Amino acid sequence: MLVRFAYLAVSQAFAAMRLLPMGGREKDVEILALRHQLTVLRRQLGGERPRFRPEDRVFLAALLSGLPRQALRRIRLLVSPDTVLRWHRDLIKRRHARASARRRPGRPRTVVSIRRLVLRLARENPSWGYRRIHGELALLGLRVAPSTVWEILRTEGIDPAPERSSVTWPDFLRSQAEAIMAMDFIETVTLTGKRQYILAAIHHASRRIRIVGTTAHPTHAWVAQAVRNLLMDLEDAGQLATVRFLIRDRDAKYPALMDQILQSSGIATVLTGVQVPRMNAVMERWARTLRAELLDRTLVWNEAHLRRVLLVYERDYNQHRPHRSLAGAAPLRAIPARLEPHQVERLDIRRRDRLGGVLHEYRHAA
């Protein structure tokens, strides 16, 4: 239709240019001739109404809309003046409809980064309602209406005004990580078929591992003495004052005396549920790492050999092995400063093998 309208407009423009050299009498004669031809055309049509194409309607509406109604009635048209005015109103209405369709209705959507931040604050702070989250955004210099925060939370299925006073087990572990240690037994078998038991403890916050001891017969007296040794080690490291909880399972190897020894140092024993290893997930994850990186790749001859390899692995784990929970640092070694560009160009990395190549440590050459 656009092409037809353009053709019609151009042809009528050339027709108008043809009238420029004509005089007033010639124009009046042509107008009378055109009116007479319209009369003849109406007689031929009889009772049928003339049909106008869309481009014809657009052209006539644009051409005649500026004339007053009396002037339209003086002009002999195939349609009434009201029809021409209606065509013009429809043309303007369609133009406004296309313009409004290009504009998004309502308020603009909130920036994606702000939506993600609102959901992050709600996820990391379960007890915060939409008003508390709105206040935190204001402190960060983000101007967002409280109703917007409400709508973001409601859209994601999060209660905007929660009564989430209960604390989940993972939330408790994260909030109390500095005060929590975990303990567990790991079993392994030597080449002679003798079963060995490894008692280990891990600090949740620092992820530092301590091999408390190894034995083929974990008696109650042996376990009680191993716990005393652990407490002395914590005191020497200056951590005894901060540790307040020790998580362990309900294994019968742990004597009642063990809990009394811990209680005397201000440490409460937290027992995991029956067949719920996730309550001691940090310790269970370390046991899996120990098997994958050491026990499954080393032939253990006897108990003395097991103690030696565990001592090397403990030192490597605490002083060299990076940890995702520590952003790549080791429990007893912080992340070094970033190298300068000229240092990166002259890298000289040396490898040091531990336990016959089971463990590899990489360091800069001296």
Side-chain angles (χ1 to χ4, degrees):
M1 186 183 74
L2 184 61
V3 177
R4 292 178 181 177
F5 173 72
Y7 171 76
L8 185 61
V10 171
S11 61
Q12 294 297 329
F14 281 109
M17 292 176 63
R18 186 178 59 84
L19 297 176
L20 293 178
M22 296 177 62
R25 184 176 179 280
E26 294 177 348
K27 292 179 182 178
D28 292 338
V29 171
E30 184 171 354
I31 291 174
L32 291 175
L34 291 174
R35 288 184 176 182
H36 182 72
Q37 293 179 54
L38 287 175
T39 303
V40 175
L41 179 60
R42 283 178 176 175
R43 287 201 304 264
Q44 292 179 357
L45 290 175
E48 296 182 6
R49 298 179 58 186
R51 296 180 181 180
F52 289 88
R53 294 178 179 179
E55 60 270 19
D56 298 326
R57 296 179 181 181
V58 171
F59 177 79
L60 291 176
L63 181 64
L64 303 174
S65 61
L67 297 178
R69 184 181 294 269
Q70 282 120 12
L72 288 175
R73 287 175 180 173
R74 287 196 299 267
I75 301 175
R76 299 187 63 181
L77 299 172
L78 295 178
V79 293
S80 65
D82 293 335
T83 302
V84 176
L85 296 177
R86 179 171 56 82
W87 288 349
H88 183 261
R89 288 195 300 270
D90 293 341
L91 178 64
I92 298 300
K93 188 182 301 183
R94 287 196 296 270
R95 186 179 68 179
H96 287 306
R98 288 193 296 268
S100 61
R102 289 193 294 267
R103 296 193 299 266
R104 185 183 296 274
R107 292 184 303 174
R109 290 180 60 85
T110 309
V111 180
V112 176
S113 59
I114 296 181
R115 296 178 64 87
R116 291 176 179 171
L117 179 58
V118 169
L119 298 177
R120 174 187 172 187
L121 293 177
R123 183 177 61 254
E124 296 178 355
N125 305 277
S127 62
W128 287 10
Y130 78 102
R131 285 287 184 181
R132 177 64 178 85
I133 296 176
H134 173 260
E136 193 69 22
L137 294 177
L139 291 177
L140 296 173
L142 301 174
R143 296 183 178 273
V144 181
S147 59
T148 302
V149 179
W150 172 287
E151 186 63 28
I152 293 174
L153 296 176
R154 193 172 64 86
T155 303
E156 295 296 328
I158 302 174
D159 188 2
E163 296 180 358
R164 293 168 278 186
S165 58
S166 60
V167 180
T168 62
W169 182 253
D171 292 336
F172 169 76
L173 295 182
R174 282 191 292 267
S175 62
Q176 304 292 330
E178 192 65 37
I180 294 178
M181 290 199 69
M183 179 177 287
D184 199 8
F185 276 100
I186 300 100
E187 297 183 12
T188 187
V189 179
T190 64
L191 286 176
T192 59
K194 192 172 184 180
R195 190 175 301 276
Q196 293 288 328
Y197 296 90
I198 306 168
L199 182 60
I202 190 171
H203 185 229
H204 274 209
S206 65
R207 290 299 197 269
R208 179 180 178 179
I209 195 69
R210 288 178 170 87
I211 307 296
V212 181
T214 60
T215 182
H217 306 286
T219 62
H220 286 184
W222 183 89
V223 175
Q225 185 58 46
V227 171
R228 292 190 186 97
N229 297 339
L230 174 62
L231 294 177
M232 289 188 292
D233 189 11
L234 290 175
E235 185 174 9
D236 295 338
Q239 291 183 298
L240 186 59
T242 59
V243 177
R244 288 292 173 265
F245 304 97
L246 186 135
I247 302 176
R248 66 171 178 85
D249 56 24
R250 301 171 183 267
D251 199 322
K253 301 182 186 66
Y254 300 110
L257 179 61
M258 169 183 167
D259 297 337
Q260 298 175 10
I261 296 172
L262 293 172
Q263 189 65 37
S264 63
S265 298
I267 301 176
T269 301
V270 180
L271 300 180
T272 62
V274 179
Q275 295 182 351
V276 188
R278 291 183 61 184
M279 293 186 68
N280 200 4
V282 176
M283 189 71 231
E284 295 288 346
R285 183 63 181 87
W286 181 82
R288 175 184 171 185
T289 301
L290 174 68
R291 294 187 184 280
E293 296 183 356
L294 180 68
L295 299 181
D296 293 346
R297 303 174 59 193
T298 305
L299 299 177
V300 180
W301 294 93
N302 48 39
E303 183 176 335
H305 182 221
L306 178 61
R307 290 176 182 172
R308 287 196 299 272
V309 297
L310 287 175
L311 180 63
V312 175
Y313 183 76
E314 177 185 1
R315 186 182 301 113
D316 176 83
Y317 189 90
N318 291 330
Q319 299 179 3
H320 187 80
R321 189 183 187 278
H323 296 263
R324 285 186 298 176
S325 60
L326 302 177
L332 297 180
R333 190 198 66 184
I335 298 178
R338 188 172 182 177
L339 297 179
E340 298 296 333
H342 68 276
Q343 295 175 312
V344 176
E345 295 176 358
R346 297 194 299 269
L347 278 180
D348 188 4
I349 305 299
R350 303 295 176 85
R351 190 185 81 183
R352 182 175 182 180
D353 294 341
R354 300 282 190 179
L355 300 178
V358 175
L359 303 176
H360 296 156
E361 295 180 359
Y362 295 88
R363 300 181 184 274
H364 292 278

